[in-house]
Each structure stands twice: as structure tokens, then as C-alpha cells.
Amino acid sequence: PISGVKDSLIATQPGVYKVKVTAPNNCTTESEEVRVIQYEEPVVEIEASGKELCPGASLLLKAKGKDLKAFVWLLNGQAIEGQTQAQIVATQAGKYTVAIRDTNRCTTVSSVFEVSMVDKVVVQMDSIPPFCSEILKPVKLRGSPEGGIFLGSGVVDGVFDPIKAGKGMHTIVYV
């Protein structure tokens, strides 16, 4: 007998349970056994190649975990209509979470994965004036934003050397 329990019980521990009922006339009967299993709580994380979006770009978000079965993606706490797969393509900034159900019918929600929008970078580079001469000095290249790298024929450590580049028209790229 369980003290205080009349006709129902909420099992909070795994195990095998059965019910024995005794009528006022002392007749008894027992139920079949019921096995209660406690599964591990599911864990889900959102994975992506980064957390920043450029305007017009997208970012693939993936729900990762063990035995995940059903998914509902949320942006800023609101369900994203039609997004019920293991991955989505994010096109806007915000706080993403994913609610899941695993193969044991257990549920959980991921931690927040915040995606931020970054300003489009405008790259500028000083131009090199045209020249036609055999005696040329190397030209220090300047670009904005600072910290980029210059690439091209005759370019070494941010300096264009026309002699190393050789005769002709040359393209210099700043990345």
C-alpha cells in the first residue's frame, strides 16, 4: 500500500509497477505489471559556419544531437512557419532556437544561437596612374578598410613593383 494514494499514481522513478486492489469484502485483484523507463534527457545544439550575415547572404543552421526526430525552429521566440527539418537557411539576424522531440518522445529546446547582420564592407584602393617607362620605382599600395591583402603580379608585401610584374597591363586585387 502507498500511503495517501487512492486511485492514481504518478511514477517519478523508473521501475516495474502493479496495482493491488482490495475491496471492502477483502477480495483482492492485481493488475498486470507496467514497466516505467526513464530516458536520458535529449540535448540539441545549433551548429553553423559562423554567426554573422552580410546583407543578402544566408547561413545554414543545423540542429545536432542524438536520435532527434521532430523539429520546430524559432526566431526571437516565434515559430518560423514551415521550418520543421533538421536544418534551415537563416537570412535575417536574430536569436534562433530549435525545439525538438527525440525518438523516445522526449522534448527540449536548444540554447539561443544569435545571428547578427554586419554592414557590407566597401573596399577602396588607391589607383596607380598609368606610366610608360623602363625606369620605374615600386609603389606602396593603400586600401580601405585597413588590414586587407593585395594580390597580383609584381605585388610583394603591399608593394607593386613594375619591374617584377613585367610589361603589360596587370590586375591587382585587394581582399
Side-chain angles (χ1 to χ4, degrees), residues 66 71 172:
K66 182 180 172 191
F71 309 85
I172 298 173

Side-chain angles (χ1 to χ4, degrees), residues 17-120:
Y17 294 83
K18 65 180 178 176
V19 176
K20 180 178 181 180
V21 177
T22 304
N25 64 1
N26 287 329
C27 290
T28 63
T29 187
E30 288 188 10
S31 70
E32 291 184 23
E33 292 182 347
V34 175
R35 182 174 307 275
V36 175
I37 300 170
Q38 183 174 2
Y39 296 108
E40 289 182 30
E41 288 199 34
V43 176
V44 62
E45 294 179 358
I46 298 175
E47 291 183 354
S49 62
K51 290 189 170 197
E52 295 180 331
L53 276 174
C54 292
S58 63
L59 184 64
L60 183 64
L61 306 181
K62 297 179 183 180
K64 293 292 185 175
K66 182 180 172 191
D67 299 324
L68 306 182
K69 186 173 181 177
F71 309 85
V72 175
W73 287 88
L74 300 102
L75 174 58
N76 299 323
Q78 300 296 313
I80 305 170
E81 189 174 334
Q83 298 300 321
T84 58
Q85 300 299 316
Q87 60 188 35
I88 64 167
V89 177
T91 57
Q92 57 185 306
K95 296 177 180 181
Y96 288 84
T97 53
V98 62
I100 63 94
R101 185 179 73 236
D102 70 6
T103 55
N104 297 317
R105 296 185 305 269
C106 298
T107 61
T108 194
V109 178
S110 70
S111 297
V112 170
F113 186 92
E114 189 157 3
V115 174
S116 59
M117 188 68 67
V118 294
D119 293 330
K120 188 173 184 176

